[in-house]
Amino acid sequence: MAQPKSLPLICVPEGSTLSTVSKAHHRWAQANNFTGQRGRLLALPASDGGLSGYLFGLGPMADRPKLVVGLASAALDPGSYVLEGDFGDPTLAGLGFRLGAYRFDAYREPKAPPVLDVLPGADMAEVDRLTDAAFLARDLVNTPAHD
């Protein structure tokens, strides 16, 4: 069985010209008033009617949080994603994505989180260590004392 293809998550700063996307996707973004607003996620249609990826708004550079990519993973469906575009430091982008994908599911059927492909230049071992620690702390905070 073939592995599903990773969907691109194209990070777009506010006011960007969207020069890296196709003309059809550029028109789609304009029709949906997508300008790179912080936290805005826009699904990109494929020519066969499916999904070809997402545009994700990073907002203005002046006050952009370092882990802003986490807003995307909090809203994405389970699947495999590859970051593209101007997302800044790859280690911080990977950390933000993984932290945003956290779900407390101790008392319900777990839902698979979105998964980020390895980012070139990112220290993924450090990302793993930091997210494992953060997830442990979040689980401890979210678990009732009587459990």
Side-chain angles (χ1 to χ4, degrees), residues 6-141:
S6 294
L7 289 174
L9 178 63
I10 305 166
C11 298
V12 180
E14 192 163 341
S16 174
T17 60
L18 297 175
S19 60
T20 60
V21 300
S22 69
K23 287 182 183 181
H25 287 157
H26 189 271
R27 286 192 304 273
W28 180 253
Q30 286 180 323
N32 285 279
N33 296 316
F34 181 87
T35 61
Q37 306 95 318
R38 180 181 302 143
R40 176 115 187 255
L41 194 61
L42 179 66
L44 297 173
S47 58
D48 65 359
L51 182 63
S52 71
Y54 290 93
L55 292 178
F56 175 68
L58 297 172
M61 182 62 169
D63 61 348
R64 182 181 307 154
K66 302 254 186 244
L67 304 176
V68 69
V69 178
L71 295 173
S73 61
L76 288 169
D77 289 328
S80 182
Y81 299 90
V82 59
L83 279 182
E84 296 179 3
D86 186 17
F87 51 82
D89 181 279
T91 301
L92 289 176
L95 179 61
F97 188 94
R98 291 274 311 274
L99 290 174
Y102 172 80
R103 309 282 188 276
F104 181 69
D105 53 15
Y107 303 109
R108 59 181 165 193
E109 187 70 31
K111 183 175 131 180
V115 176
L116 182 64
D117 288 355
V118 174
L119 285 169
D123 184 352
M124 294 308 284
E126 179 70 2
V127 169
D128 289 341
R129 284 190 296 275
L130 291 171
T131 54
D132 288 346
F135 289 179
L136 173 62
R138 287 177 172 182
D139 285 345
L140 290 172
V141 167

